[in-house]
Amino acid sequence: TVRIWQGSEDGKYDCRHILKDHTAEVQAVTVHATNNYFVTASLDTTWCFYDLSSGLCLTQVEDPSNSMGYTSAAFHPDGLILGTGTTGATVRIWDVKSRGNVANFDGHTGAVTAISFSENGYFLATAAHDGVKLWDLRKLKNFRSFELYDQDTPTNSVDFDHSGSYLAIAGSDIRVYQVGSVKAEWNCIKTLPDLSGTG
């Protein structure tokens, strides 16, 4: 299920809608730039496009050629492109209006756990078991890879900040990279250690 909660002035949240269009676990929710729509992505091999205020599913997209479930999803800043990560290590790019699969990125190992578009819209960061990869959306190529952890430690999350100047990567610790020149300099400026067990 997917639940839409609405906050009130007293700080409490009410569940306004419970959505049951998926038939397997929902792994990702991403909100459109207009804040009017959102997409959910599920292990049932579909993604759904919803109206946020009404909770209505406007379309459910199933790709007959794809037997892989979705493990992550994110809207491009312009709202016209959707990125999804799959259980089969492939990153799939969609045209939101036509609901067509317009590009695929292969090269990861394991499920794609997180994806993040840069605010300028030119680059995509993806995380999976083998680390983080950066993709040039204009050339449709992988131009940098970060393999930060040992083989048994997956990379769980990756996120650009709104300025596009920083990239945070999370695995057994959290590392923040500063982007000097996108294609050249990536300096690790902060490592936040593993805090599990310390409260």
Side-chain angles (χ1 to χ4, degrees):
T1 61
V2 178
R3 293 170 188 250
I4 300 177
W5 300 80
Q6 186 164 32
S8 55
E9 290 181 2
D10 61 5
K12 295 180 180 178
Y13 281 83
D14 293 319
C15 182
R16 304 304 299 266
H17 302 287
I18 300 176
L19 313 173
K20 299 181 179 180
D21 298 289
H22 288 294
T23 58
E25 290 90 337
V26 179
Q27 298 284 85
V29 175
T30 177
V31 178
H32 192 265
T34 60
N35 289 325
N36 294 326
Y37 307 100
F38 68 97
V39 158
T40 59
S42 167
L43 292 179
D44 68 6
T45 73
T46 71
W47 57 269
C48 290
F49 188 86
Y50 286 96
D51 178 270
L52 185 57
S53 60
S54 67
L56 287 175
C57 179
L58 303 179
T59 185
Q60 186 165 13
V61 178
E62 187 172 9
D63 181 0
S65 67
N66 176 37
S67 59
M68 300 178 285
Y70 295 111
T71 48
S72 52
F75 271 114
H76 188 276
D78 68 10
L80 300 176
I81 296 171
L82 176 74
T84 55
T86 68
T87 55
T90 298
V91 178
R92 301 169 77 81
I93 307 296
W94 302 82
D95 179 303
V96 174
K97 284 186 177 178
S98 70
R99 301 182 295 282
N101 177 210
V102 293
N104 293 309
F105 295 137
D106 295 306
H108 268 303
T109 301
V112 180
T113 51
I115 67 179
S116 177
F117 288 97
S118 64
E119 194 64 22
N120 64 11
Y122 296 150
F123 306 107
L124 175 66
T126 58
H129 193 90
D130 56 339
V132 167
K133 292 185 182 295
L134 295 171
W135 309 86
D136 186 319
L137 293 170
R138 292 168 294 183
K139 297 180 180 178
L140 300 179
K141 285 185 177 179
N142 169 225
F143 65 89
R144 183 173 292 273
S145 297
F146 297 91
E147 296 175 8
L148 304 178
Y149 308 108
D150 62 46
Q151 290 184 334
D152 297 325
T153 305
T155 306
N156 294 317
S157 192
V158 64
D159 215 350
F160 277 104
D161 79 310
H162 283 296
S163 73
S165 303
Y166 301 94
L167 183 74
I169 298 173
S172 56
D173 58 15
I174 299 169
R175 304 185 191 192
V176 180
Y177 284 80
Q178 187 169 23
V179 187
S181 162
V182 172
K183 295 295 178 72
E185 302 166 38
W186 290 75
N187 300 315
C188 184
I189 59 167
K190 186 72 175 176
T191 299
L192 305 170
D194 179 0
L195 298 175
S196 59
T198 65

